Amino acid sequence: SQTIHQWPATLVQPVGSPLSLECTVEGTSNPNLYWYRQAAGRGLQLLFYSVGIGQISSEVPQNLSASRPQDRQFILSSKKLLLSDSGFYLCAWNVMAGGPREQFFGPGTRLTVL
Amino acid sequence: AQSVTQLGSHVSVSEGALVLLRCNYSSSVPPYLFWYVQYPNQGLQLLLKYTSAATLVKGINGFEAEFKKSETSFHLTKPSAHMSDAAEYFCAVTSSNTGKLIFGQGTTLQVKP
């Protein structure tokens, strides 16, 4: 069966510090991968998605970047965090086989920038 | 372009009462539709999905949703609310062939004893 991991689970970082969040998927090949952010009291905002190694699409201009160095690994990064980067970050995956394309979500990372 | 509107950001029901969470979609092509549930500080869990095979879809935890093309709706219902149903619920529709989902803003369900 497929599983998705995210780490760390929680993170407290000072403004201006770097960030690296990691997401890995097991049990599937060539998945589409997604990074979302939930700010307090708001819905899901799609930040990045990737259809393959090295292929990243950015949905909104921001202080963050994403990379996909391996088929089942997706990394969210920042060189200098802002207060507005605080939120709950979710990684998700799906495959493009025929039929419904539901996404499967990881457990999330709670980031607090102070 | 596709979009999803969830009517009511907060819904409060009594334990044992009917749960109705509303979702309307906009899509120029036949849609795939989903309902997800999110408990505090957790990821999203798929409740059910519309695959075009049947308009009434049954999901986990006693939830079901009915696809009504004429009303462009996909409302989520449960006959009798449990305290454990308190969570945030998201409706979503697929976006073209990229695999991306378009999410509604979410509805927080409160269940009162």
Side-chain angles (χ1 to χ4, degrees):
Chain A
S1 64
Q2 302 91 354
T3 56
I4 177 169
H5 303 280
Q6 286 187 245
W7 64 90
T10 60
L11 191 60
V12 180
Q13 293 283 93
V15 169
S17 64
L19 173 73
S20 181
L21 302 182
E22 190 164 342
C23 170
T24 59
V25 180
E26 297 176 357
T28 188
S29 297
N30 196 30
N32 283 6
L33 296 171
Y34 307 84
W35 277 114
Y36 292 89
R37 177 171 60 200
Q38 278 185 298
R42 300 179 67 178
L44 288 154
Q45 180 184 36
L46 179 62
L47 302 176
F48 301 95
Y49 73 94
S50 171
V51 299
I53 296 174
Q55 302 179 62
I56 308 295
S57 295
S58 175
E59 290 293 295
V60 292
Q62 58 205 312
N63 185 42
L64 303 169
S65 62
S67 62
R68 185 171 177 174
Q70 300 181 44
D71 181 45
R72 290 170 289 181
Q73 183 184 31
F74 204 23
I75 297 172
L76 185 68
S77 304
S78 174
K79 293 182 179 179
K80 290 184 178 182
L81 284 169
L82 306 172
L83 287 174
S84 57
D85 292 324
S86 293
F88 192 52
Y89 288 82
L90 290 162
C91 181
W93 70 272
N94 67 357
V95 292
M96 294 302 293
R101 301 160 185 161
E102 68 263 39
Q103 291 183 10
F104 300 94
F105 285 79
T109 294
R110 173 74 60 189
L111 172 65
T112 303
V113 182
L114 301 175
Chain B
Q2 295 178 306
S3 65
V4 173
T5 301
Q6 291 184 238
L7 299 176
S9 58
H10 289 84
V11 171
S12 181
V13 301
S14 298
E15 191 173 20
L18 171 72
V19 175
L20 171 61
L21 304 182
R22 301 178 185 273
C23 172
N24 287 89
Y25 70 92
S26 173
S27 179
S28 58
V29 297
Y32 291 133
L33 293 158
F34 309 89
W35 274 101
Y36 285 86
V37 61
Q38 184 181 31
Y39 299 100
N41 293 311
Q42 295 186 24
L44 276 68
Q45 179 183 6
L46 182 69
L47 274 177
L48 49 79
K49 58 189 178 186
Y50 168 68
T51 67
S52 77
T55 57
L56 183 61
V57 181
K58 294 187 183 298
I60 62 172
N61 302 338
F63 284 93
E64 62 182 36
E66 186 173 9
F67 174 72
K68 293 186 176 180
K69 183 179 179 180
S70 61
E71 299 179 6
T72 61
S73 69
F74 190 56
H75 301 333
L76 182 70
T77 61
K78 182 174 180 177
S80 177
H82 296 166
M83 296 298 291
S84 60
D85 294 327
E88 189 157 21
Y89 292 80
F90 292 94
C91 182
V93 64
T94 57
S95 171
S96 66
N97 61 355
T98 65
K100 294 192 292 183
L101 293 181
I102 307 300
F103 284 91
Q105 285 301 300
T107 297
T108 300
L109 175 65
Q110 180 187 24
V111 182
K112 298 177 291 184

